[in-house]
Amino acid sequence: MNVIIIEDEKPSARRLQRMLQRLEINTEVMLHSVEESLEWFQNNEHPDLIFLDIQLSDGLSFEIFEHVEVKSAIIFTTAYDEYALQAFKLNSIDYLLKPIDEDDLAKAVSKYQERLPKEQSVTLDFNDIKKLLVNPIEREYKKRFSVKVGQHLKLINIDDIECFFSENKGTYLHTNEGRNYLLDTTLEQLEDELEPHTFFRINRKFFININAIRDIISYTNSRLQIKLNSYKEQDVIVARERVKDFKAWLE
């Protein structure tokens, strides 16, 4: 099986290569940019399978296929959950969220191998995919929130918010100054409004700002306790199932 990796982060590419070797799949070719990949595809026989990172250093990897007709099956790799889900719906073999888990990788490869005898070509409309994807560099997230204070509306800049939390069926933001304000929204609605490099949902009740973290402490049942700069009303605990993603987010 001829496999290549397209990934702009070289340590991640080497890690994936080692993981594939443990599955007895040798990967000789690793490409790291749209430009490098374009040149390679124009001068080489297309592989059976591509592990394709969506966001490369010089653009979205789909730009490669605006210039060459893809003849390979694709397993997307991405750190962006919403990207992966949209791409997966458009006939890719599978997608893997970073950091890639070995069991998930094995399942994705197995899924590809099961399809092989059927000789089903994977057809992707990359223009449609590009319309669904929003470059995180260009995407607009909320920069401020308006809150009601008596008969007045107060604007609070996103940089002044330590965390968002739910309590007694209400959703609140907590500022660097130590004040809480009730919002007319839910934590679920905030998922698409907060910049994901800055805010992370650590459990069902909290989104926290990475810049507000004062300390991180090991807690019971493989969880983590977060100490924020000013918020002290409740224990801020990273749920056990979120710890792995939380650690990746910190890096």
Side-chain angles (χ1 to χ4, degrees), residues 78-142:
T78 178
Y80 297 93
D81 206 339
E82 67 272 23
Y83 285 16
L85 292 174
Q86 294 288 9
F88 174 64
K89 290 175 183 175
L90 291 162
N91 300 323
S92 65
I93 289 294
D94 212 337
Y95 67 90
L96 296 168
L97 295 181
K98 297 177 182 177
I100 295 172
D101 179 81
E102 291 212 35
D103 288 340
D104 291 340
L105 176 62
K107 289 174 185 175
V109 170
S110 176
K111 183 177 175 181
Y112 163 73
Q113 291 171 330
E114 287 172 5
R115 288 183 62 155
L116 273 180
K118 301 176 185 177
E119 297 183 353
Q120 295 177 354
S121 62
V122 178
T123 57
L124 293 166
D125 189 328
F126 291 101
N127 287 324
D128 282 350
I129 296 177
K130 283 184 68 177
K131 290 174 187 175
L132 292 170
L133 302 183
V134 182
N135 190 321
I137 297 170
E138 299 171 354
R139 180 169 178 174
E140 287 292 323
Y141 294 99
K142 295 235 0 173

Side-chain angles (χ1 to χ4, degrees), residues 20-71:
L20 287 168
Q21 284 174 344
R22 289 195 283 273
L23 295 174
E24 299 183 349
I25 297 172
N26 292 320
T27 309
E28 301 296 333
V29 177
M30 292 189 288
L31 307 170
H32 306 293
S33 67
V34 173
E35 183 179 358
E36 183 183 10
S37 301
L38 268 176
E39 182 179 351
W40 188 90
F41 274 103
Q42 289 166 350
N43 294 285
N44 293 274
E45 182 180 350
H46 292 194
D48 301 309
L49 178 63
I50 303 170
F51 285 88
L52 179 65
D53 187 13
I54 291 177
Q55 180 72 48
L56 300 176
S57 57
D58 57 347
L60 290 173
S61 56
F62 303 119
E63 294 173 24
I64 299 165
F65 306 106
E66 292 176 357
H67 303 281
V68 294
E69 181 185 356
V70 62
K71 300 174 182 177

